Amino acid sequence: RPDTIALLKQLKSGIYRFPGGNFVSNHDWRDAIGDPDRRPPRWDYAWNVMQPNDVGTDEFMVLCGLLDVEPYITVNAGFGEPRAAADWVEYANGAADTPMGKLRAQNGHPEPFDCTYWAVGNEMYGNWQKGHMPLEDYVKKHQAVAEAMRSVDDSIKLVAVGSVGPWSERMMQDCAEHMDLISEHFYVRERHMPDGTPEDVALHVSLTRDRVREVANAHRDYRSRFESLKGKDIRIALDEWNYWYGP
């Protein structure tokens, strides 16, 4: 679709995330490689639709190349296991003589994709997320996944799951050695006056500005309080946000 590619180029985006979102927590990247016409369809339990697997790692990387954007892959830290995440790193970045690199070459891409940015899971703090677990258990899961991924390629940049409040605080205290950035997601809803009428447009737009400030200030506070962050520069990856309308 050259018309679509032309439109996407006009956005001049710096980075694209894949697959991202709640979908990733029951996604097996190995289902979405090879001949698209021979890939097994899978039920997407996050959104209750059939996923044909027409788009996988190879197609995503080709798209990023066409658009000259940085690829950013989110691994399955829900139902997924550390070994699967590590194999995905090797498939993307390994030499053609590694097991997963050989598989990539067989699929038509002998040269490594050299993907730098990798997110360890998506919104694992939410009970809507497949594989959700208590925070005290998830910090161990994050560490195990991160260690497995870095054992394959220690040059990658890992983005941990954050959520301002107890979740981000614990992640920053227990997992600072196993991340380079930490993600924060937010959605803001329109507010209404006491009589039920919406506030004006300027006040509505300010919701996002105010939330960005709140997130940044929270992380400044973490840096000042947590010994685990001394000497570190863990930045925020604000990789999902929007306005939310209605209930």
Side-chain angles (χ1 to χ4, degrees):
R1 290 293 300 271
D3 54 339
T4 303
I5 295 298
L7 289 169
L8 292 174
K9 284 182 176 179
Q10 292 180 31
L11 294 176
K12 302 187 186 304
S13 301
I15 189 166
Y16 273 28
R17 184 168 67 121
F18 171 85
N22 300 339
F23 165 73
V24 74
S25 285
N26 58 254
H27 173 65
D28 188 336
W29 69 271
R30 293 163 293 196
D31 283 346
I33 58 174
D35 182 353
D37 292 330
R38 299 180 65 85
R39 295 176 191 170
R42 290 285 187 253
W43 187 253
D44 174 5
Y45 290 95
W47 301 107
N48 292 317
V49 295
M50 186 61 73
Q51 169 55 245
N53 280 332
D54 287 338
V55 175
T57 306
D58 298 313
E59 291 79 16
F60 172 65
M61 291 298 187
V62 168
L63 176 65
C64 288
L66 290 171
L67 300 178
D68 191 26
V69 300
E70 189 88 27
Y72 174 24
I73 290 179
T74 306
V75 304
N76 182 344
F79 287 155
E81 295 300 324
R83 185 69 258 162
D87 284 348
W88 202 353
V89 174
E90 187 173 279
Y91 184 86
N93 293 354
D97 59 356
T98 63
M100 294 297 105
K102 182 178 180 181
L103 181 59
R104 181 194 66 243
Q106 291 172 353
N107 289 332
H109 301 278
E111 296 301 318
F113 292 122
D114 295 328
C115 181
T116 299
Y117 293 95
W118 296 77
V120 182
N122 174 79
E123 295 184 3
M124 294 309 304
Y125 47 83
N127 59 11
W128 58 86
Q129 202 65 237
K130 303 303 178 183
H132 168 72
M133 63 187 71
L135 178 53
E136 58 268 24
D137 296 324
Y138 183 72
V139 294
K140 300 173 186 176
K141 177 75 175 280
H142 172 91
Q143 291 167 355
V145 173
E147 288 173 358
M149 294 172 72
R150 281 180 168 165
S151 72
V152 173
D153 183 351
D154 62 5
S155 72
I156 59 177
K157 301 293 185 183
L158 295 181
V159 183
V161 171
S163 180
V164 162
W167 184 279
S168 280
E169 292 182 13
R170 181 70 178 270
M171 290 292 291
M172 294 300 240
Q173 288 175 299
D174 288 12
C175 300
E177 297 296 333
H178 295 85
M179 69 173 81
D180 298 287
L181 301 96
I182 186 165
S183 74
E184 292 284 352
H185 294 178
F186 71 79
Y187 290 81
V188 289
R189 288 180 169 87
E190 76 268 32
R191 296 178 293 197
H192 290 80
M193 305 299 284
D195 64 359
T197 58
E199 291 183 344
D200 65 49
V201 172
L203 285 172
H204 174 69
V205 171
S206 72
L207 295 176
T208 287
R209 177 202 63 192
D210 294 347
R211 184 57 181 157
V212 170
R213 180 182 292 118
E214 291 168 4
V215 170
N217 286 340
H219 281 268
R220 291 188 181 102
D221 176 59
Y222 301 156
R223 288 186 177 199
S224 69
R225 289 194 291 121
F226 299 151
E227 287 296 322
S228 58
L229 299 180
K230 300 301 182 185
K232 292 184 174 61
D233 187 22
I234 296 174
R235 298 295 182 96
I236 300 168
L238 189 55
D239 54 13
E240 187 175 323
W241 64 271
N242 214 330
Y243 295 94
W244 189 293
Y245 292 90

